[in-house]
Amino acid sequence: MRTIVGLWRWRHNPLRRGTDLVEAWVALTAVLLFALATPAVGWICGNTLDSSLRNTARVQHEQRHRTTAVVVARVADHRHIAYDAESLSDHASGTRVTATWYAADGSARTGTVSAPLRNPRAGDTFGMWTDQRTDKQVRGPMNATSARVHAILAGFGATALAAGLVECARRLIVWRLVQRRYQRLDRAWAAAGPDWGRTGAGS
């Protein structure tokens, strides 16, 4: 709304000051930045992050192996731990168990891992991801949906940030213009003040 008021200062008016015209140009610049620059910043940021995350997801899929583990026994420590994963569909609570699984090269492995099961029993199976280099349990690789969601959110965030910066800059410039008007008014008043109301002083 204040930006529109700034544009209105362009109208022809004998009382229009130089700072009014400057404020109008500032308002027009802000409108153009809001309409063109801020969406472009959001698109560039989101697109760049999306490309980066897709590359990360591709590398993770190449370095991680999906396998099926079989529960041998539940670990004595019954505390639940967070079964974390980067994939949106893989979040669940996990329990420490001893399990067996097959590595990427087909060899059998046995170890203590986190199972996304509430009450795991011997013989239960569950899917998990392992690092092909270390064969240790790792988070599931990021999927395309997760990468796209993060990129979209980052794009909106960048757009909002850019818009906020433009608005802050506009407000700062307008504040400085208002201060300049007050200074000129004070100087004019100081010059006219001593003769104000005197007979024959033109008042």
Side-chain angles (χ1 to χ4, degrees):
M1 185 63 184
R2 292 184 179 181
T3 302
I4 296 176
V5 172
L7 291 174
W8 182 249
R9 294 181 183 276
W10 248 338
R11 72 190 189 283
H12 180 71
N13 189 326
L15 299 178
R16 186 183 67 187
R17 299 157 295 188
T19 54
D20 292 331
L21 189 60
V22 173
E23 185 175 344
W25 278 107
V26 170
L28 177 61
T29 302
V31 169
L32 293 177
L33 290 176
F34 280 130
L36 303 175
T38 56
V41 169
W43 182 84
I44 292 173
C45 180
N47 193 55
T48 301
L49 183 60
D50 181 59
S51 177
S52 177
L53 291 178
R54 285 179 178 274
N55 182 65
T56 299
R58 179 185 58 79
V59 172
Q60 288 180 350
H61 275 282
E62 292 175 354
Q63 296 178 347
R64 301 179 186 185
H65 170 65
R66 176 74 173 180
T67 185
T68 300
V70 180
V71 177
V72 175
R74 187 169 181 171
V75 175
D77 184 359
H78 296 290
R79 292 178 299 173
H80 281 255
I81 65 172
Y83 184 77
D84 197 4
E86 291 173 337
S87 175
L88 294 177
S89 61
D90 288 343
H91 287 287
S93 61
T95 306
R96 301 292 287 180
V97 299
T98 300
T100 60
W101 66 91
Y102 288 98
D105 59 4
S107 59
R109 295 285 190 274
T110 301
T112 301
V113 296
S114 173
L117 303 171
R118 287 290 183 180
N119 187 27
R121 299 178 181 178
D124 289 345
T125 61
F126 61 92
M128 75 173 191
W129 291 87
T130 60
D131 190 316
Q132 295 187 18
R133 297 164 299 180
T134 63
D135 203 41
K136 293 182 178 180
Q137 185 183 27
V138 293
R139 297 176 180 179
M142 181 181 293
N143 57 36
T145 301
S146 180
R148 178 57 59 85
V149 169
H150 282 82
I152 291 175
L153 292 177
F156 278 118
T159 299
L161 179 60
L165 291 176
V166 170
E167 177 62 13
C168 288
R170 186 195 68 82
R171 287 175 178 267
L172 179 60
I173 295 174
V174 171
W175 178 79
R176 289 294 301 166
L177 291 175
V178 172
Q179 293 299 312
R180 183 175 299 179
R181 290 169 188 161
Y182 286 151
Q183 291 172 0
R184 290 180 178 177
L185 180 61
D186 289 340
R187 287 196 297 267
W189 181 258
D195 295 330
W196 186 261
R198 289 185 179 180
T199 304
S203 58

